[in-house]
Amino acid sequence: MKRLAIIGGGPAGLIAAEALLGNGVEVHLFDAMPSLGRKFLMAGKSGLNLTHSEPFEAFVTRFGAARPHLETALRAFTPEALRAWAKELGVETFIGSSGRVFPTNFKAAPLLRTWLRRLRGAGLIIHVRHRWQGWTAEGALSFTTPEGTMEFETDATILALGGASWPKLGSDGSWTPWLEARGATVHPLKPANCGFDVTWSDLMRERFAGAPVKPVTLTFNGKAHRGEFVISAHGVEGSGIYAHSAALRDEIAAKGEAQLTLDLAPDRSAERLAGELSRPRGKLSMANHLRKAAGIEGVKAALLRELLPAETFGDPARLAASIKSLPLRLKSTRPIDEAISSAGGVAFEALDEHFMLRSAPGIFCAGEMLDWEAPTGGYLLTACFATGRVAGEGALRWLTQRD
Protein backbone atom coordinates (compact mmCIF):
# COMPACT_ATOMS: atom_id res chain seq x y z
CA MET A 1 0.00 0.00 0.00
CA LYS A 2 1.24 3.48 -0.87
CA ARG A 3 1.98 5.73 2.08
CA LEU A 4 1.40 9.48 2.06
CA ALA A 5 2.25 12.14 4.64
CA ILE A 6 0.35 15.36 5.20
CA ILE A 7 2.15 17.96 7.29
CA GLY A 8 -0.19 20.50 8.84
CA GLY A 9 -3.50 19.83 10.58
CA GLY A 10 -5.48 22.89 9.51
CA PRO A 11 -8.34 22.99 6.99
CA ALA A 12 -6.07 22.55 3.93
CA GLY A 13 -4.35 19.49 5.37
CA LEU A 14 -7.54 17.91 6.67
CA ILE A 15 -9.49 18.36 3.44
CA ALA A 16 -6.53 16.90 1.53
CA ALA A 17 -6.72 13.84 3.78
CA GLU A 18 -10.44 13.54 3.07
CA ALA A 19 -9.73 13.45 -0.68
CA LEU A 20 -7.27 10.59 -0.21
CA LEU A 21 -8.89 8.31 2.34
CA GLY A 22 -10.72 5.23 1.11
CA ASN A 23 -8.59 4.97 -2.03
CA GLY A 24 -6.04 2.39 -0.98
CA VAL A 25 -3.55 4.91 0.42
CA GLU A 26 -2.23 4.89 3.99
CA VAL A 27 -2.56 8.52 5.06
CA HIS A 28 -0.53 9.94 7.95
CA LEU A 29 -1.11 13.49 9.18
CA PHE A 30 1.54 15.27 11.25
CA ASP A 31 1.18 18.47 13.26
CA ALA A 32 3.56 20.31 15.57
CA MET A 33 0.83 21.25 18.06
CA PRO A 34 -0.75 19.04 20.74
CA SER A 35 -4.05 19.06 18.83
CA LEU A 36 -5.23 19.81 15.31
CA GLY A 37 -6.88 22.88 13.87
CA ARG A 38 -5.55 25.40 16.42
CA LYS A 39 -5.70 28.39 14.06
CA PHE A 40 -9.08 27.23 12.72
CA LEU A 41 -10.44 27.24 16.26
CA MET A 42 -8.93 30.66 16.94
CA ALA A 43 -10.51 32.02 13.75
CA GLY A 44 -13.86 30.80 15.03
CA LYS A 45 -13.48 32.20 18.53
CA SER A 46 -15.65 35.21 17.76
CA GLY A 47 -17.80 33.39 15.20
CA LEU A 48 -16.54 31.06 12.46
CA ASN A 49 -16.78 32.93 9.16
CA LEU A 50 -16.70 29.86 6.93
CA THR A 51 -17.19 31.47 3.52
CA HIS A 52 -19.04 34.26 1.70
CA SER A 53 -22.34 34.23 -0.17
CA GLU A 54 -21.67 36.83 -2.86
CA PRO A 55 -21.99 35.70 -6.51
CA PHE A 56 -19.03 33.58 -7.58
CA GLU A 57 -17.90 36.00 -10.28
CA ALA A 58 -17.49 38.66 -7.61
CA PHE A 59 -16.06 36.16 -5.11
CA VAL A 60 -13.08 35.21 -7.28
CA THR A 61 -12.07 38.84 -7.76
CA ARG A 62 -11.15 39.03 -4.07
CA PHE A 63 -7.96 37.06 -4.74
CA GLY A 64 -6.39 39.74 -6.89
CA ALA A 65 -3.35 38.71 -8.89
CA ALA A 66 -3.66 35.10 -7.66
CA ARG A 67 -7.09 34.65 -9.24
CA PRO A 68 -5.84 32.87 -12.42
CA HIS A 69 -4.01 30.34 -10.26
CA LEU A 70 -6.86 29.72 -7.80
CA GLU A 71 -9.99 29.97 -9.91
CA THR A 72 -10.04 26.35 -11.07
CA ALA A 73 -9.71 25.12 -7.49
CA LEU A 74 -12.39 27.54 -6.27
CA ARG A 75 -14.78 26.51 -9.04
CA ALA A 76 -14.26 22.88 -8.07
CA PHE A 77 -15.10 23.62 -4.43
CA THR A 78 -17.29 26.71 -4.42
CA PRO A 79 -18.69 28.48 -1.35
CA GLU A 80 -21.96 26.63 -2.00
CA ALA A 81 -20.09 23.30 -2.05
CA LEU A 82 -18.36 24.22 1.19
CA ARG A 83 -21.71 24.91 2.84
CA ALA A 84 -23.05 21.58 1.56
CA TRP A 85 -19.94 19.84 2.94
CA ALA A 86 -20.53 21.42 6.36
CA LYS A 87 -24.15 20.27 6.23
CA GLU A 88 -22.96 16.70 5.66
CA LEU A 89 -21.13 17.04 8.96
CA GLY A 90 -24.36 18.11 10.61
CA VAL A 91 -23.45 21.81 10.69
CA GLU A 92 -26.13 24.12 9.31
CA THR A 93 -25.03 27.54 8.11
CA PHE A 94 -26.68 30.91 7.57
CA ILE A 95 -25.90 34.10 5.71
CA GLY A 96 -25.29 37.15 7.87
CA SER A 97 -26.29 40.70 7.02
CA SER A 98 -22.89 41.35 5.39
CA GLY A 99 -23.13 38.26 3.19
CA ARG A 100 -20.70 36.30 5.33
CA VAL A 101 -21.57 32.67 6.05
CA PHE A 102 -21.48 31.27 9.60
CA PRO A 103 -22.50 28.03 11.34
CA THR A 104 -25.84 28.55 13.06
CA ASN A 105 -24.12 28.22 16.44
CA PHE A 106 -21.19 30.40 15.26
CA LYS A 107 -18.68 27.90 16.67
CA ALA A 108 -15.77 26.09 15.02
CA ALA A 109 -15.24 23.37 17.62
CA PRO A 110 -18.35 21.21 16.89
CA LEU A 111 -17.53 21.15 13.17
CA LEU A 112 -13.88 20.26 13.82
CA ARG A 113 -14.76 17.50 16.31
CA THR A 114 -17.22 15.85 13.94
CA TRP A 115 -14.82 16.20 11.02
CA LEU A 116 -11.91 14.61 12.90
CA ARG A 117 -14.15 11.77 14.06
CA ARG A 118 -15.11 11.07 10.45
CA LEU A 119 -11.50 11.23 9.24
CA ARG A 120 -10.27 8.89 11.95
CA GLY A 121 -13.11 6.52 11.15
CA ALA A 122 -12.01 6.55 7.51
CA GLY A 123 -8.48 5.53 8.52
CA LEU A 124 -6.53 8.76 9.00
CA ILE A 125 -3.48 8.21 11.22
CA ILE A 126 -2.73 11.33 13.25
CA HIS A 127 0.61 12.26 14.82
CA VAL A 128 0.61 15.36 17.06
CA ARG A 129 3.63 17.06 18.66
CA HIS A 130 5.63 16.19 15.54
CA ARG A 131 7.47 19.29 14.31
CA TRP A 132 8.75 18.95 10.77
CA GLN A 133 12.45 19.66 10.25
CA GLY A 134 12.77 19.13 6.50
CA TRP A 135 14.21 16.11 4.75
CA THR A 136 17.12 13.83 5.58
CA ALA A 137 19.95 13.33 3.08
CA GLU A 138 18.18 10.14 2.02
CA GLY A 139 14.90 11.94 1.36
CA ALA A 140 12.91 10.87 4.42
CA LEU A 141 10.85 13.36 6.38
CA SER A 142 12.47 14.41 9.64
CA PHE A 143 10.50 15.35 12.78
CA THR A 144 11.31 16.36 16.31
CA THR A 145 8.96 14.75 18.83
CA PRO A 146 8.77 14.55 22.63
CA GLU A 147 10.60 11.22 22.30
CA GLY A 148 13.34 12.63 20.07
CA THR A 149 14.02 12.79 16.33
CA MET A 150 11.93 10.58 14.05
CA GLU A 151 12.29 9.83 10.35
CA PHE A 152 9.38 8.90 8.13
CA GLU A 153 9.56 7.51 4.60
CA THR A 154 6.67 8.24 2.30
CA ASP A 155 5.65 7.87 -1.34
CA ALA A 156 4.23 11.39 -1.52
CA THR A 157 3.89 14.41 0.74
CA ILE A 158 1.37 17.22 1.04
CA LEU A 159 2.59 20.32 2.84
CA ALA A 160 -0.13 22.46 4.41
CA LEU A 161 1.97 24.42 6.87
CA GLY A 162 0.33 27.83 6.71
CA GLY A 163 2.15 31.11 6.32
CA ALA A 164 3.83 33.03 9.13
CA SER A 165 0.95 34.60 11.03
CA TRP A 166 -0.02 33.22 14.43
CA PRO A 167 3.30 31.36 15.02
CA LYS A 168 2.14 30.33 18.50
CA LEU A 169 -0.50 28.22 16.78
CA GLY A 170 2.01 26.51 14.49
CA SER A 171 2.33 28.75 11.40
CA ASP A 172 5.81 30.24 11.62
CA GLY A 173 7.17 30.05 8.05
CA SER A 174 10.17 27.95 9.12
CA TRP A 175 9.62 25.70 6.10
CA THR A 176 10.87 28.31 3.61
CA PRO A 177 14.56 27.24 3.36
CA TRP A 178 13.70 23.56 3.04
CA LEU A 179 11.50 24.18 0.00
CA GLU A 180 14.03 26.54 -1.53
CA ALA A 181 16.64 23.80 -1.16
CA ARG A 182 14.30 21.59 -3.20
CA GLY A 183 14.33 24.15 -6.02
CA ALA A 184 11.04 25.90 -5.25
CA THR A 185 10.69 29.66 -5.61
CA VAL A 186 9.36 31.08 -2.35
CA HIS A 187 8.42 34.75 -2.19
CA PRO A 188 9.12 36.50 1.14
CA LEU A 189 6.33 36.14 3.66
CA LYS A 190 4.73 39.41 4.74
CA PRO A 191 1.72 40.47 6.83
CA ALA A 192 -1.76 40.51 5.30
CA ASN A 193 -5.03 41.60 6.91
CA CYS A 194 -2.86 43.47 9.36
CA GLY A 195 -2.83 46.57 11.49
CA PHE A 196 -0.66 49.62 10.95
CA ASP A 197 1.41 51.93 13.11
CA VAL A 198 0.33 55.53 13.63
CA THR A 199 2.23 58.08 15.70
CA TRP A 200 -0.44 58.82 18.30
CA SER A 201 -0.14 61.34 21.08
CA ASP A 202 -0.02 59.95 24.61
CA LEU A 203 -3.56 61.23 25.19
CA MET A 204 -4.92 59.43 22.12
CA ARG A 205 -3.15 56.21 22.96
CA GLU A 206 -4.06 56.18 26.65
CA ARG A 207 -7.70 57.27 26.38
CA PHE A 208 -8.86 55.66 23.14
CA ALA A 209 -6.87 52.45 22.58
CA GLY A 210 -9.49 49.77 21.95
CA ALA A 211 -12.18 52.24 20.85
CA PRO A 212 -14.12 51.31 17.68
CA VAL A 213 -14.60 53.98 15.03
CA LYS A 214 -17.94 53.48 13.25
CA PRO A 215 -19.59 54.03 10.93
CA VAL A 216 -16.81 55.28 8.71
CA THR A 217 -15.79 55.10 5.08
CA LEU A 218 -12.11 54.40 4.47
CA THR A 219 -10.63 55.31 1.08
CA PHE A 220 -7.26 54.55 -0.44
CA ASN A 221 -6.20 55.00 -4.06
CA GLY A 222 -9.77 55.72 -5.09
CA LYS A 223 -11.23 52.58 -3.49
CA ALA A 224 -13.74 53.15 -0.72
CA HIS A 225 -14.86 50.71 1.97
CA ARG A 226 -17.60 51.46 4.48
CA GLY A 227 -17.22 49.73 7.80
CA GLU A 228 -15.33 50.25 11.01
CA PHE A 229 -11.89 50.05 12.55
CA VAL A 230 -10.33 50.13 16.00
CA ILE A 231 -7.79 52.46 17.55
CA SER A 232 -4.91 50.48 19.02
CA ALA A 233 -2.04 51.54 21.25
CA HIS A 234 0.20 51.30 18.20
CA GLY A 235 -2.13 52.61 15.48
CA VAL A 236 -5.18 51.15 13.76
CA GLU A 237 -6.59 47.69 13.05
CA GLY A 238 -9.91 46.00 12.28
CA SER A 239 -12.00 45.01 9.29
CA GLY A 240 -12.07 48.42 7.61
CA ILE A 241 -8.28 48.58 7.74
CA TYR A 242 -7.89 44.99 6.56
CA ALA A 243 -9.97 45.75 3.47
CA HIS A 244 -7.14 48.02 2.27
CA SER A 245 -4.20 46.33 4.00
CA ALA A 246 -2.52 44.79 0.93
CA ALA A 247 -2.48 48.09 -0.98
CA LEU A 248 -1.45 50.05 2.11
CA ARG A 249 1.36 47.60 2.90
CA ASP A 250 2.72 47.80 -0.65
CA GLU A 251 2.50 51.62 -0.62
CA ILE A 252 4.51 51.76 2.59
CA ALA A 253 7.09 49.38 1.14
CA ALA A 254 7.44 51.59 -1.93
CA LYS A 255 7.20 55.07 -0.39
CA GLY A 256 7.87 54.73 3.32
CA GLU A 257 4.33 55.62 4.41
CA ALA A 258 0.72 55.59 3.20
CA GLN A 259 -2.16 58.01 3.65
CA LEU A 260 -5.62 56.63 4.30
CA THR A 261 -8.63 58.96 4.03
CA LEU A 262 -11.47 58.75 6.56
CA ASP A 263 -15.03 59.93 6.14
CA LEU A 264 -16.25 60.20 9.73
CA ALA A 265 -19.81 61.12 8.71
CA PRO A 266 -20.63 58.84 5.75
CA ASP A 267 -24.36 59.57 5.95
CA ARG A 268 -24.01 63.36 5.69
CA SER A 269 -22.77 65.47 2.81
CA ALA A 270 -20.04 68.07 3.25
CA GLU A 271 -22.60 70.76 2.39
CA ARG A 272 -24.99 69.59 5.08
CA LEU A 273 -22.18 69.39 7.63
CA ALA A 274 -20.94 72.87 6.74
CA GLY A 275 -24.43 74.25 7.20
CA GLU A 276 -24.93 72.52 10.54
CA LEU A 277 -21.51 73.56 11.83
CA SER A 278 -22.11 77.16 10.74
CA ARG A 279 -24.97 77.59 13.20
CA PRO A 280 -24.09 79.82 16.14
CA ARG A 281 -22.90 77.71 19.04
CA GLY A 282 -23.36 80.33 21.72
CA LYS A 283 -21.94 79.07 24.98
CA LEU A 284 -21.56 75.49 23.75
CA SER A 285 -18.05 74.06 23.82
CA MET A 286 -16.65 72.92 20.50
CA ALA A 287 -17.03 69.32 21.69
CA ASN A 288 -20.75 69.81 22.34
CA HIS A 289 -21.18 71.77 19.12
CA LEU A 290 -19.64 68.91 17.12
CA ARG A 291 -21.87 66.42 18.92
CA LYS A 292 -25.13 68.33 18.48
CA ALA A 293 -24.54 69.78 15.01
CA ALA A 294 -22.65 66.97 13.30
CA GLY A 295 -23.06 63.85 15.44
CA ILE A 296 -19.30 63.77 16.01
CA GLU A 297 -18.25 62.78 19.52
CA GLY A 298 -16.00 60.47 21.48
CA VAL A 299 -13.25 58.83 19.47
CA LYS A 300 -14.28 60.59 16.24
CA ALA A 301 -13.93 63.99 17.90
CA ALA A 302 -10.59 62.85 19.32
CA LEU A 303 -9.39 61.92 15.83
CA LEU A 304 -10.23 65.40 14.59
CA ARG A 305 -8.31 66.96 17.47
CA GLU A 306 -5.41 64.60 16.87
CA LEU A 307 -5.07 65.07 13.14
CA LEU A 308 -6.19 68.63 12.36
CA PRO A 309 -4.57 72.02 13.03
CA ALA A 310 -6.36 73.98 15.74
CA GLU A 311 -7.39 76.74 13.33
CA THR A 312 -9.51 74.27 11.32
CA PHE A 313 -12.14 74.28 14.07
CA GLY A 314 -12.83 77.99 13.50
CA ASP A 315 -13.79 77.47 9.84
CA PRO A 316 -17.06 75.47 9.47
CA ALA A 317 -16.54 74.75 5.75
CA ARG A 318 -12.98 73.59 6.27
CA LEU A 319 -13.98 71.52 9.30
CA ALA A 320 -16.82 69.89 7.37
CA ALA A 321 -14.47 69.04 4.51
CA SER A 322 -12.02 67.53 7.00
CA ILE A 323 -14.72 65.39 8.62
CA LYS A 324 -15.53 64.03 5.16
CA SER A 325 -11.90 63.58 4.13
CA LEU A 326 -9.63 63.20 7.16
CA PRO A 327 -6.07 62.15 6.25
CA LEU A 328 -4.50 59.45 8.41
CA ARG A 329 -0.80 58.75 7.89
CA LEU A 330 0.28 55.13 8.38
CA LYS A 331 3.95 54.65 9.15
CA SER A 332 4.48 50.88 8.98
CA THR A 333 2.72 47.52 9.13
CA ARG A 334 2.41 45.70 12.41
CA PRO A 335 4.62 42.58 12.75
CA ILE A 336 3.61 39.50 10.78
CA ASP A 337 3.00 37.47 13.93
CA GLU A 338 0.13 39.87 14.76
CA ALA A 339 -1.46 39.60 11.31
CA ILE A 340 -4.58 37.57 10.61
CA SER A 341 -2.93 36.04 7.55
CA SER A 342 0.20 36.37 5.45
CA ALA A 343 1.08 37.04 1.84
CA GLY A 344 4.04 35.59 -0.03
CA GLY A 345 4.95 31.91 -0.03
CA VAL A 346 5.44 29.26 -2.67
CA ALA A 347 5.21 30.85 -6.11
CA PHE A 348 2.52 29.41 -8.37
CA GLU A 349 5.09 29.21 -11.15
CA ALA A 350 6.87 26.58 -9.04
CA LEU A 351 3.74 24.37 -9.05
CA ASP A 352 1.80 22.39 -11.61
CA GLU A 353 -1.99 22.51 -11.90
CA HIS A 354 -2.32 20.08 -8.98
CA PHE A 355 -0.07 22.22 -6.74
CA MET A 356 2.82 19.76 -7.03
CA LEU A 357 6.35 21.19 -7.00
CA ARG A 358 7.77 21.02 -10.50
CA SER A 359 11.27 20.69 -9.06
CA ALA A 360 10.32 17.89 -6.63
CA PRO A 361 7.68 15.47 -7.99
CA GLY A 362 5.56 13.91 -5.27
CA ILE A 363 5.62 16.99 -3.03
CA PHE A 364 2.41 19.05 -3.02
CA CYS A 365 1.63 22.37 -1.32
CA ALA A 366 -1.72 23.81 -0.23
CA GLY A 367 -3.36 26.52 1.81
CA GLU A 368 -1.83 29.72 3.09
CA MET A 369 1.75 28.65 2.33
CA LEU A 370 0.99 29.40 -1.33
CA ASP A 371 1.58 32.95 -2.58
CA TRP A 372 -1.91 34.41 -2.44
CA GLU A 373 -3.87 36.67 -0.14
CA ALA A 374 -7.47 37.71 0.28
CA PRO A 375 -9.50 39.92 2.61
CA THR A 376 -11.32 38.61 5.63
CA GLY A 377 -14.91 37.58 5.07
CA GLY A 378 -14.61 33.83 4.47
CA TYR A 379 -12.30 34.11 1.45
CA LEU A 380 -9.22 32.86 3.31
CA LEU A 381 -10.83 29.70 4.62
CA THR A 382 -12.56 28.89 1.33
CA ALA A 383 -9.27 29.02 -0.59
CA CYS A 384 -7.53 26.88 2.03
CA PHE A 385 -10.23 24.24 1.63
CA ALA A 386 -10.20 24.47 -2.17
CA THR A 387 -6.41 24.25 -2.59
CA GLY A 388 -6.16 21.44 -0.04
CA ARG A 389 -8.76 19.45 -1.95
CA VAL A 390 -6.92 19.92 -5.26
CA ALA A 391 -3.61 18.90 -3.67
CA GLY A 392 -5.20 15.79 -2.16
CA GLU A 393 -6.78 14.76 -5.45
CA GLY A 394 -3.56 15.55 -7.28
CA ALA A 395 -1.51 13.43 -4.90
CA LEU A 396 -3.92 10.52 -5.33
CA ARG A 397 -3.69 10.83 -9.12
CA TRP A 398 0.11 10.98 -8.98
CA LEU A 399 0.34 7.89 -6.75
CA THR A 400 -2.11 5.97 -8.94
CA GLN A 401 -0.15 6.75 -12.09
CA ARG A 402 3.00 5.37 -10.47
CA ASP A 403 1.46 1.96 -9.75
Side-chain angles (χ1 to χ4, degrees):
M1 179 181 287
K2 297 289 185 181
R3 186 160 74 162
L4 179 138
I6 298 171
I7 307 177
L14 293 173
I15 201 76
E18 191 164 276
L20 284 151
L21 293 167
N23 289 285
V25 179
E26 184 179 283
V27 183
H28 293 253
L29 188 144
F30 298 86
D31 196 275
M33 305 303 289
S35 59
L36 303 184
R38 289 291 185 95
K39 189 176 178 183
F40 182 70
L41 291 173
M42 180 60 72
K45 193 171 182 180
S46 58
L48 179 64
N49 183 192
L50 195 60
T51 187
H52 202 286
S53 65
E54 69 182 341
F56 186 80
E57 295 307 318
F59 184 91
V60 293
T61 66
R62 310 304 182 186
F63 298 91
R67 173 181 175 173
H69 308 287
L70 293 174
E71 186 164 355
T72 298
L74 291 167
R75 286 190 182 278
F77 199 59
T78 62
E80 291 79 8
L82 180 51
R83 294 184 70 186
W85 169 86
K87 188 173 183 178
E88 289 176 4
L89 289 172
V91 176
E92 296 287 344
T93 57
F94 75 96
I95 300 171
S97 58
S98 64
R100 299 183 181 200
V101 175
F102 300 89
T104 52
N105 64 5
F106 283 99
K107 298 178 180 178
L111 187 153
L112 182 61
R113 281 196 301 269
T114 304
W115 192 12
L116 289 175
R117 190 181 309 119
R118 184 167 80 177
L119 290 171
R120 287 190 178 100
L124 179 63
I125 304 165
I126 296 173
H127 310 264
V128 294
R129 296 188 173 90
H130 281 60
R131 185 173 294 278
W132 186 48
Q133 299 296 320
W135 290 273
T136 67
E138 293 74 29
L141 297 169
S142 177
F143 297 91
T144 55
T145 77
E147 289 74 40
T149 302
M150 184 199 86
E151 295 180 5
F152 187 84
E153 294 185 356
T154 180
D155 297 297
T157 301
I158 297 174
L159 303 175
L161 291 152
S165 61
W166 297 90
K168 291 181 180 179
L169 302 180
S171 299
D172 59 10
S174 60
W175 47 266
T176 297
W178 303 323
L179 267 68
E180 289 177 329
R182 285 288 180 122
T185 299
V186 182
H187 295 148
L189 294 165
K190 49 192 176 183
N193 292 300
C194 59
F196 293 85
D197 291 322
V198 176
T199 305
W200 294 133
S201 65
D202 290 342
L203 179 65
M204 190 72 186
R205 184 169 51 252
E206 292 166 6
R207 290 193 58 187
F208 293 99
V213 183
K214 61 181 180 180
V216 62
T217 296
L218 307 94
T219 303
F220 181 70
N221 278 352
K223 294 185 178 180
H225 175 85
R226 177 163 172 154
E228 63 182 87
F229 68 95
V230 176
I231 303 295
S232 73
H234 302 287
V236 289
E237 58 187 35
S239 60
I241 300 297
Y242 304 153
H244 292 295
S245 63
L248 291 168
R249 178 199 64 219
D250 294 345
E251 179 86 352
I252 290 171
K255 299 181 179 178
E257 67 175 28
Q259 182 170 292
L260 186 64
T261 302
L262 309 178
D263 178 353
L264 299 180
D267 296 320
R268 304 188 190 204
S269 68
E271 293 75 19
R272 177 184 170 187
L273 282 170
E276 291 167 333
L277 291 168
S278 295
R279 296 172 186 166
R281 62 185 176 100
K283 295 182 180 180
L284 285 177
S285 66
M286 177 54 70
N288 280 329
H289 184 53
L290 277 170
R291 176 176 58 82
K292 289 191 172 184
I296 298 293
E297 60 183 325
V299 66
K300 287 187 176 182
L303 280 168
L304 293 177
R305 293 288 189 187
E306 182 80 5
L307 300 173
L308 295 178
E311 58 267 23
T312 306
F313 292 87
D315 184 336
R318 187 177 170 191
L319 180 57
S322 297
I323 290 170
K324 294 295 292 181
S325 185
L326 184 66
L328 179 64
R329 294 173 64 192
L330 310 180
K331 308 300 291 184
S332 56
T333 60
R334 294 299 299 157
I336 194 169
D337 59 2
E338 294 181 13
I340 290 178
S341 58
S342 58
V346 181
F348 284 105
E349 292 73 18
L351 305 165
D352 71 6
E353 67 272 23
H354 306 295
F355 302 136
M356 183 174 74
L357 290 176
R358 298 182 189 277
S359 60
I363 299 174
F364 297 76
C365 301
E368 200 179 328
M369 66 184 297
L370 304 181
D371 184 15
W372 61 274
E373 61 182 309
T376 57
Y379 306 103
L380 295 164
L381 268 179
T382 305
C384 285
F385 276 101
T387 56
R389 188 169 178 266
V390 168
E393 293 173 345
L396 178 61
R397 183 181 295 105
W398 189 79
L399 288 171
T400 302
Q401 290 172 349
R402 290 172 61 83
D403 285 339

